Amino acid sequence: MKSKLTIKNVAKINELKYLNAFEITYTNRVGAEKKWELVSRQGLDRLKKELYDNQIFSDGAMIFATNRQKTHVVMIREYRVSAGKYIYMVPAGLTDPGETIEQTSTREFLEETGMHFEFVKSSPPRYSSVGLSNERVEVAYGYFHGEPNDEQLSVDEDVQVVFVDKEMAIKLLSTEDVSIRTALLLEHFFDLNEFFV
């Protein structure tokens, strides 16, 4: 299935609109000065609090929603412009100012799937890609209710809801592009990685 979203051009830019670029100067183990580049949705003050004061922040939620019998997981098949194709992942989104992780996960789940999310618990904030960014997300765990619809979906998103059982998880993990965090959650939930058995 071809996405209704269309890539028109790719170009290098020197200034970013939604991300901030930072250069961190540090010394390595033998005292040589080095540079590290990263991008962040947040500003310099936050980065300094993380680097110098070891403060921990959360930027959003990944939502791991199952039925009560824990036989199916809600995933989405989303066209990601950065990949130029559909990627399978669990629903996720950024926290709005003042929101708790429960509020973020409930809102984002409704927006992306049209269904309701019953929050049970969440993990601590963890880095999503520490080599590139200081973004941290929490995994929200709970149950889904209702039927999928796209009434809340942004016009900038191309998303289909997928109910994944163990058999489908095996197929997706072997034949489709699945985000690494989602792949690890599926492997753990369905006990699919023979290395850990």
Side-chain angles (χ1 to χ4, degrees):
M1 169 196 257
K2 188 167 169 49
S3 176
K4 292 180 181 176
L5 305 183
T6 306
I7 296 174
K8 298 288 188 184
N9 185 43
V10 180
K12 182 178 178 187
I13 58 173
N14 294 322
E15 191 169 318
L16 302 170
K17 185 174 180 180
Y18 299 107
L19 297 172
N20 297 300
F22 296 104
E23 180 180 81
I24 300 171
T25 304
Y26 69 102
T27 54
N28 70 11
R29 291 185 296 119
V30 295
E33 190 171 283
K34 306 288 279 186
K35 306 281 186 184
W36 190 279
E37 297 175 340
L38 76 137
V39 293
S40 176
R41 288 186 172 97
Q42 308 303 324
L44 183 60
D45 288 343
R46 153 124 169 225
L47 183 58
K48 285 183 175 181
K49 287 176 184 176
E50 291 171 321
L51 295 174
Y52 296 125
D53 302 331
N54 202 28
Q55 291 188 27
I56 297 172
F57 298 88
S58 176
D59 296 295
M62 289 176 53
I63 303 115
F64 195 81
T66 72
N67 58 349
R68 290 223 173 253
Q69 300 78 22
K70 295 187 178 174
T71 58
H72 289 77
V73 175
V74 173
M75 288 180 58
I76 58 174
R77 179 179 179 263
E78 181 174 8
Y79 183 83
R80 299 300 299 207
V81 172
S82 57
K85 62 177 129 180
Y86 287 98
I87 308 292
Y88 286 86
M89 61 192 73
V90 295
L94 297 173
T95 299
D96 285 344
E99 276 187 330
T100 65
I101 195 63
E102 182 174 354
Q103 292 167 328
T104 299
S105 56
T106 302
R107 175 184 52 76
E108 283 289 344
F109 194 76
L110 179 64
E111 288 175 8
E112 292 195 347
T113 69
M115 296 186 298
H116 298 285
F117 178 67
E118 180 185 336
F119 179 89
V120 174
K121 66 173 284 188
S122 64
S123 69
R126 303 196 192 281
Y127 289 107
S128 57
S129 182
V130 72
L132 298 174
S133 174
N134 64 336
E135 179 184 70
R136 288 182 186 237
V137 297
E138 298 171 64
V139 180
Y141 299 93
Y143 303 107
F144 67 86
H145 304 282
E147 296 295 323
N149 66 72
D150 61 4
E151 293 170 12
Q152 306 285 325
L153 197 61
S154 161
V155 295
D156 296 325
E157 296 176 299
D158 180 358
V159 174
Q160 295 97 41
V161 175
V162 183
F163 296 99
V164 178
D165 62 7
K166 185 172 185 173
E167 185 178 321
M168 186 171 188
I170 293 168
K171 180 181 177 190
L172 290 177
L173 291 171
S174 62
T175 64
E176 299 291 342
D177 280 312
V178 180
S179 74
I180 184 66
R181 295 175 292 173
T182 297
L184 292 171
L185 284 167
L186 286 177
E187 285 181 354
H188 178 69
F189 184 74
F190 289 117
D191 201 18
L192 297 178
N193 190 326
E194 65 276 358
F195 184 79
F196 297 116
V197 177

